[in-house]
Every structure is written in structure tokens, then in C-alpha cells.
Amino acid sequence: MEVPITGFMVHSDDGSGHSHSLFITSWDGRPVRMHVHPFAGETSVDVGHYHRYAGKTDPAPSGVQHVHNYYVETTVDDQHAHVIRGTTGPAVPLPGGGHYHLFEGYTTVNGRIPHAHRYQGKTGNEAAY
């Protein structure tokens, strides 16, 4: 069985030197709406300090099970910053509609005393893209 889809591909440098993301705009003749999620938080306290971060996830299709990639740089604290990047967990429905995603991980290593910070949280509700 063949299902016609349309979409577009975007080149993004994820550090590996070559990467593409596919964004599907229609599935079997039906339009697919895209959305993003805001996210923000604070890292763990390590080596006497912590960092804040805030951003939006990469877009993903609405109405189907999905995850989002995310990338953000932290605030500069103790004369350095870290990068936060990863993939959220699957969508978790909200009682009044919409959904959120859980995310967690470790920052990149940086600082006068090389270290990383742990982070975790949940995104805000979906927002149209």
C-alpha cells in the first residue's frame, strides 16, 4: 500500500557535518499541521553554580505520535556557558487538550574546571508553527 505524502527537507548542521530534517506537510491527501513547544528551566548546581535556559523545540507534525528535537545555549554563569540538545519523550496529553513532552539530559562540558550540568523538565503546551 502506498500513501502519498508531501513535505520539505531542511539542511541543519548538528555537529556531525551533514544532517537533514524532513517536515511532512500532507499525509494521504490531508494537510498535516506543524507545531513547536516552548521550554525553559535551570540546570543542576555543579562546581558552585547553575545555568538557566529557554527556547523552542524544532517543529513536528500535530495529530500523530511524535517527538521533538531541541537545542539551546545556557546563560553565561561563572564565565562560561553550555549547550543543551536532545530529543523529547513522546507526547503526553493534557486534560483540556493539547500535549507536552518530557526532556532530560546533561549539558556539554565546559568551564575553568571542566564539568557538565544535569537538566530536566517538561515543555509547555503546543504552539502553532
Side-chain angles (χ1 to χ4, degrees):
M1 173 182 173
E2 291 185 23
V3 176
I5 63 169
T6 60
F8 60 94
M9 195 173 284
V10 176
H11 172 75
S12 61
D13 186 0
D14 68 354
S16 68
H18 189 87
S19 177
H20 295 281
S21 296
L22 173 64
F23 297 99
I24 298 172
T25 57
S26 76
W27 183 275
D28 202 16
R30 295 184 303 269
V32 173
R33 191 173 58 86
M34 302 293 281
H35 71 278
V36 296
H37 295 266
F39 66 97
E42 296 177 348
T43 67
S44 60
V45 175
D46 294 281
V47 193
H49 69 278
Y50 68 96
H51 300 266
R52 291 186 173 104
Y53 58 89
K56 289 185 180 176
T57 64
D58 286 350
S62 299
V64 297
Q65 190 52 266
H66 63 280
V67 295
H68 294 264
N69 292 327
Y70 58 88
Y71 173 97
V72 70
E73 293 183 20
T74 68
T75 55
V76 175
D77 295 285
D78 198 34
Q79 301 176 352
H80 70 278
H82 298 269
V83 169
I84 290 174
R85 77 165 33 144
T87 303
T88 67
V92 179
L94 288 166
H99 66 277
Y100 67 91
H101 298 265
L102 299 175
F103 62 93
E104 65 180 336
Y106 288 89
T107 67
T108 55
V109 175
N110 204 351
R112 287 177 287 117
I113 300 170
H115 65 281
H117 297 267
R118 179 160 173 67
Y119 65 88
Q120 64 181 21
K122 67 179 187 177
T123 68
N125 198 356
E126 60 188 289
Y129 177 71

